Amino acid sequence: MRLFAIFGNPVAHSLSPLLHNAVFTRLGWPDRYIRERLDDGVAIRKCFETFGLSGANITVPFKEEAAQLCDRVEGVAAVVGAVNTIVREGDRLIGYNTDAPGFWASLEGFAPKTALILGAGGTARALAAILKEQGSAVTVLNRSAERLEFFRHLGLAVATWEAFAPSKYELVVNTTSAGLTDQELPAPKAPLRSVLGEATRAYEVIYGRETPFMALAREIDLPVQDGKAMLVWQAVLAQRLFTDPPISNDEMAKLMFNAMELL
Ligand code: NDP
């Protein structure tokens, strides 16, 4: 039996065990996936030894620390400095970021030429990196200036709320935590309404609730999707890295969506 875990703080709300165990159950494998709340990300390496883990997912607030403690960091995880998936190879821990390709897969073939990302945190970094890699012209809009430096270095257009001159973007993505536990919009209403009015699709990374950003998009009849498919696809891609199961990614995604429906 192989054991996998998700590390975070808080982590009690995490649906990752449900998603990954649905795959193990379908395959009749004895492998299991658990969640573990940590006070300190430094403990991740020790936990791998103590529990004899084969792999793990990492969530808030340890993704950056996880990138530091891996022996090797692959692909987009190295660009953004954030790891959400660790695979053990012998004594070595290899870090990946499946949030970024998971987000891309969740777009289901929609490849925006222009994208506006609201927010400049860890999720914004992952999304900006994959959108840029896939050929989108990306602009990042954030409340404050400090976190925009990373995106400027990546060669992207950046703006704070004060300096923002709205333009036309096919995709507008909210990666801020505005709307997660409050009723706030991720940016001032007038410019936000203006960019949504010109967009083809709105995307909210939060899932499980209708946020003010989603409500605003619906108000103007703009198609909007929430973060559920991104959650599922990052898990599908992590599972592929963990165990390379003998079923397709689409079949895994279907199993995971079904598991969430049963909640
Ligand atoms: P971070 O803490 O790294 O970044 C938060 C960002 O939100 C910052 O840019 C911050 O701006 C901005 N922000 C916070 N509050 C407000 C507000 N009231 N108004 C405007 N901007 C605000 O967060 P993460 O990137 O780790 O996570 C962001 C969201 O993504 C969370 O809601 C999380 O649940 C979700 N998520 C979803 C996933 C999925 O699979 N669907 C995967 C990962 C995350 P400033 O710099 O000015 O402080």
Side-chain angles (χ1 to χ4, degrees):
M1 181 192 116
R2 290 169 293 186
L3 189 62
F4 301 87
I6 179 156
F7 296 116
N9 192 347
V11 78
H13 67 285
S14 172
L15 296 176
S16 291
L18 177 83
L19 302 182
H20 290 277
N21 285 326
V23 176
F24 295 142
T25 303
R26 150 76 176 75
L27 293 170
W29 287 357
D31 305 322
R32 280 295 166 262
Y33 188 108
I34 58 170
R35 58 185 159 220
E36 195 64 29
R37 190 177 67 82
L38 296 181
D39 291 324
D40 192 336
V42 181
I44 290 172
R45 210 176 179 107
K46 182 88 187 137
C47 283
F48 261 84
E49 287 167 29
T50 311
F51 295 122
L53 296 177
S54 299
N57 286 121
I58 313 298
T59 188
V60 180
F62 302 128
K63 290 183 189 181
E64 285 78 14
E65 215 167 340
Q68 299 296 321
L69 61 81
C70 282
D71 297 299
R72 199 175 77 229
V73 174
E74 294 281 351
V76 77
V79 177
V80 301
V83 157
N84 80 319
T85 301
I86 299 179
V87 179
R88 183 165 63 81
E89 285 181 13
D91 289 338
R92 308 185 72 222
L93 299 183
I94 316 301
Y96 302 87
N97 186 306
T98 67
D99 286 333
F103 163 75
W104 187 256
S106 75
L107 290 177
E108 294 184 332
F110 174 58
K113 290 186 195 68
T114 48
L116 178 67
I117 294 178
L118 309 170
T123 309
R125 285 185 180 208
L127 270 47
I130 195 81
L131 282 164
K132 181 181 180 230
E133 191 183 291
Q134 297 293 338
S136 294
V138 178
T139 300
V140 181
L141 176 62
N142 198 43
R143 181 174 59 181
S144 55
E146 201 185 331
R147 298 203 226 201
L148 289 172
E149 267 321 295
F150 170 86
F151 301 89
R152 206 191 302 275
H153 279 120
L154 213 57
L156 306 180
V158 299
T160 56
W161 292 357
E162 292 73 30
F164 183 54
S167 176
K168 189 173 157 59
Y169 311 96
E170 284 183 35
L171 175 69
V172 180
V173 192
N174 177 31
T175 74
T176 77
S177 32
L180 185 63
T181 55
D182 53 43
Q183 282 302 314
E184 288 184 45
L185 282 169
K189 191 165 184 177
L192 191 55
R193 187 188 275 272
S194 147
V195 292
L196 289 175
E198 301 264 1
T200 310
R201 194 190 292 199
Y203 193 115
E204 169 65 87
V205 298
I206 295 169
Y207 56 86
R209 73 191 308 248
E210 175 87 355
T211 64
F213 173 75
M214 294 172 77
L216 184 59
R218 285 194 215 286
E219 221 175 275
I220 57 169
D221 287 329
L222 178 65
V224 56
Q225 75 179 100
D226 72 4
K228 195 165 153 186
M230 177 176 162
L231 175 78
V232 163
W233 279 100
Q234 65 74 30
V236 165
L237 299 174
Q239 183 62 244
R240 179 65 59 205
L241 291 165
F242 288 153
T243 65
D244 195 16
I247 55 175
S248 69
N249 286 354
D250 283 339
E251 195 175 341
M252 269 199 277
K254 212 166 145 191
L255 281 170
M256 292 181 180
F257 278 118
N258 284 344
M260 285 173 87
E261 290 298 317
L262 296 174
L263 279 183

